[in-house]
């Protein structure tokens, strides 16, 4: 019976849900199987989607067939397909079948895990699945985990916890205006955003070496200088897999400085941390076992639908001290026996994010995940070999994970500005084809292209096809020039 024939039912009827649900699942399965038939980068111009949509909401309900028709006609052309096997920009975040099903079930259950009582399973599964992930990363048991949406929010919580600890130590002598924080000049932009939010005034961007790694000596000098100026160093942020180049800061050396100066160390391993699941890549987290907090994003390179950020901290009480604010209506008789996750972060309402990660880990298993990550690393290193062997290209940074930074170079062109324009043109022409999607960064003033291999659907042939497209496009540009 439809909702029109049943005045007591306002939602879609079970029969309708099954009918359209089956249709949608079939569509998703077909989409995932044939996603490479779409242009990977949306080819529309700004404003095209808005022009096709009504300016006012519908007065009466519309059929699901009409809604779905607009998905295919209006929405899909405006989708840049992150699930595309040749999406090689940024750090590719791809969904997997089990992750999608986990997300679907989470939406159906629609629990709010703000306190244990509002969904015991959401709270306890989150604790278990994050401990599984901790073990997979070979991190020590002292790390307590909680899920946030993104690494940006995880980093915000890390800095807030470090600030609270500093307040505890200094008590009446605490002065927010004197706090100093330190991070690499290649750290993610979210670090600086979090610092602005918490209103830390003394920001120190530490120089990097030729491999774009933080220089420990420069860090130590910056800390010593601030101490001599009467400031209060309190937190260092190291990165395992920087956004531009995936460089790995020397965490082990940074740990020594932090311990000597009694500073909080947060490690941003949002992308690179996942690689440590692979036995021969465990060394990328060397020193991280001594950090105070740590973040890794399964939605970046672990095939979990965005968003899911796993944050670990050695002193969760600091999060609770910073963020716990319990009004009467949130109190229950079980509070002394359980963990209420609302107490450990800025948000009250919490989605059941752990469910999709649980699905992914259980479906693939640790060995299955290792196999995929290992293959991505192999493919990227093969691409790096092509770049190094080709006279018209050069690698611009080490590639410890599955990202390769490179640029084109042509004999006779030596001026940086002209080389930069050449590479910008190369990337735009490649992306305009819709056959592949690359991104860029700037390193020491050089315009550098980035090719990332981290999508679950990406295989060696996709890399070879993209490499052929890059070479072909450069040849076309050279013909235009001469």
């Amino acid at each position: 019976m439809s909702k029109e024939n049943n005045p007591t039912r306002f939602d879609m009827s079970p029969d309708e849900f099954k009918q359209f649900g089956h249709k949608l699942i079939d569509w998703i399965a077909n989409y995932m199987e044939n996603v490479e038939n779409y242009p990977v980068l949306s080819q529309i111009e700004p404003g095209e989607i808005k022009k096709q949509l009504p300016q006012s909401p519908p007065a009466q309900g519309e059929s699901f067939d009409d809604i779905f028709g607009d998905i295919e006609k209006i929405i899909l052309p405006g989708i840049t397909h992150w699930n595309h096997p040749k999406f090689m920009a940024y750090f590719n975040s791809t969904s997997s079948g089990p992750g999608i099903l986990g997300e679907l079930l989470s939406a159906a259950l629609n629990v709010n895990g703000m306190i244990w009582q509002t969904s015991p399973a959401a709270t306890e599964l989150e604790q278990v699945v994050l401990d599984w992930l901790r073990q997979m990363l070979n991190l020590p048991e002292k790390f307590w985990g909680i899920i946030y949406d993104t690494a940006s929010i995880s980093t915000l919580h890390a800095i807030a916890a470090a600030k609270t600890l500093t307040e505890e130590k200094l008590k009446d002598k605490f002065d927010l205006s004197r706090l100093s924080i330190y991070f690499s000049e290649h750290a993610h932009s979210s670090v600086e955003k979090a610092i602005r939010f918490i209103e830390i005034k003394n920001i120190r961007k530490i120089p990097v070496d030729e491999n774009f790694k933080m220089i420990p000596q420069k860090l130590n000098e910056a800390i010593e200088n601030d101490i001599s100026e009467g400031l209060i160093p309190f937190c260092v942020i190291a990165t395992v897999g920087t956004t531009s180049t995936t460089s790995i800061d020397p965490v082990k050396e940074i740990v020594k400085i932090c311990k000597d100066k009694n500073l909080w160390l947060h490690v941003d391993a949002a992308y690179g941390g996942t690689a440590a699941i692979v036995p021969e890549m465990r060394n990328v987290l060397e020193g991280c076992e001594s950090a105070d907090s740590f973040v890794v994003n399964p939605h970046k390179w672990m095939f979990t639908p965005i968003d899911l950020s796993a944050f670990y901290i050695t002193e969760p009480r600091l999060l609770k001290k910073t963020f716990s604010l319990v009004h009467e209506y949130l109190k229950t008789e079980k509070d002394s026996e359980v963990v209420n996750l609302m107490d450990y972060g800025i948000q009250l309402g919490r989605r059941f994010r752990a469910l999709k990660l649980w699905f992914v880990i259980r479906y693939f298993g640790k060995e299955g995940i290792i196999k995929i990550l290992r293959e991505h690393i192999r493919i990227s290193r093969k691409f790096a070999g092509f770049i190094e062997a080709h006279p018209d290209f050069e690698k611009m940074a080490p590639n410890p994970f599955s990202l390769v930074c490179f640029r084109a170079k042509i004999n006779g062109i030596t001026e940086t500005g002209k080389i930069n324009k050449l590479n910008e043109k190369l990337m735009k022409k490649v992306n305009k084809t819709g056959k592949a999607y690359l991104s860029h960064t700037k390193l020491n003033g050089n315009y550098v292209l980035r090719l990332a291999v981290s999508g679950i659907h990406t295989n060696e042939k996709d890399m070879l096809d993209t490499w052929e497209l890059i070479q072909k496009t450069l040849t076309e540009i050279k013909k235009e020039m001469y």
Side-chain angles (χ1 to χ4, degrees), residues 1 48 68 101 140-141 237 295 313 329 333 414 425 479:
M1 182 182 291
E48 279 189 45
F68 201 78
L101 294 174
E141 290 185 14
I237 297 171
V295 61
I313 187 168
Y329 66 88
E333 60 183 13
T414 57
K425 187 174 185 179
K479 286 180 181 178

Side-chain angles (χ1 to χ4, degrees), residues 455-474:
I456 195 169
H457 308 292
T458 302
N459 58 34
E460 183 172 324
K461 184 179 183 301
D462 298 310
M463 179 274 287
L464 294 173
D465 289 346
T466 303
W467 172 229
E468 183 178 344
L469 176 61
I470 292 168
Q471 294 175 88
K472 179 183 176 183
T473 306
L474 182 61

Side-chain angles (χ1 to χ4, degrees), residues 47-93:
E48 279 189 45
I49 301 296
K50 290 175 68 176
K51 288 177 184 176
Q52 299 178 73
L53 297 170
Q55 293 184 357
S56 302
Q60 303 298 325
E62 301 181 49
S63 74
F64 195 87
D65 282 328
D66 288 344
I67 298 168
F68 201 78
D70 283 346
I71 290 290
E72 296 192 311
K73 184 177 70 175
I74 301 174
I75 302 302
L76 268 178
I79 295 293
T80 289
H81 297 276
W82 287 70
N83 286 311
H84 197 292
K86 294 186 180 70
F87 185 112
M88 297 179 176
Y90 311 110
F91 296 132
N92 190 5
S93 300

Side-chain angles (χ1 to χ4, degrees), residues 3 52 61 93 100 171 275 359 380 417 450 470:
K3 63 181 180 181
Q52 299 178 73
S93 300
I100 293 169
K171 296 183 174 64
F359 272 39
S380 69
R450 301 168 73 261
I470 292 168

Side-chain angles (χ1 to χ4, degrees), residues 279-419:
E280 62 269 26
M281 295 293 290
R282 287 253 169 90
N283 64 308
V284 301
L285 294 186
E286 185 178 17
C288 293
E289 68 280 356
S290 299
D292 298 287
S293 55
F294 175 93
V295 61
V296 62
N297 283 0
H299 72 230
K300 275 196 167 69
W301 198 12
M302 204 170 158
F303 330 119
T304 303
I306 196 166
D307 47 27
L308 195 153
S309 183
F311 177 72
Y312 293 92
I313 187 168
T314 58
E315 289 196 62
R317 69 168 187 85
L318 293 170
L319 290 176
K320 189 170 185 178
K321 184 173 182 179
T322 305
F323 295 106
S324 181
L325 185 61
V326 185
H327 286 274
E328 184 60 34
Y329 66 88
L330 294 168
K331 295 176 181 178
T332 76
E333 60 183 13
K334 299 289 186 182
D335 290 345
S336 62
E337 305 171 47
V338 299
V339 170
N340 290 322
L341 292 175
M342 68 168 187
D343 290 334
Y344 297 86
I346 199 168
Q347 66 187 82
L348 174 61
R350 307 187 82 258
R351 293 177 56 217
F352 196 174
R353 288 187 175 92
L355 197 60
K356 57 188 173 182
L357 180 57
W358 189 54
F359 272 39
V360 168
I361 294 175
R362 289 193 65 181
Y363 181 84
F364 292 107
K366 181 179 176 181
E367 292 302 319
I369 293 169
I370 288 171
K371 182 178 180 181
I372 301 168
L373 299 178
R374 188 177 276 149
E375 179 65 359
H376 285 167
I377 293 167
R378 185 193 69 80
I379 292 170
S380 69
R381 289 178 179 172
K382 188 166 186 175
F383 177 78
F386 292 154
I387 292 293
E388 291 174 317
H390 200 292
D392 288 342
F393 292 90
E394 62 181 331
K395 197 168 77 164
M396 299 299 288
N399 57 302
F401 298 105
S402 65
L403 171 82
V404 181
C405 291
F406 68 100
R407 71 173 181 177
K409 56 188 178 72
I410 298 177
N411 287 336
I413 300 180
T414 57
E415 186 182 325
T416 299
K418 291 182 178 179
I419 297 174

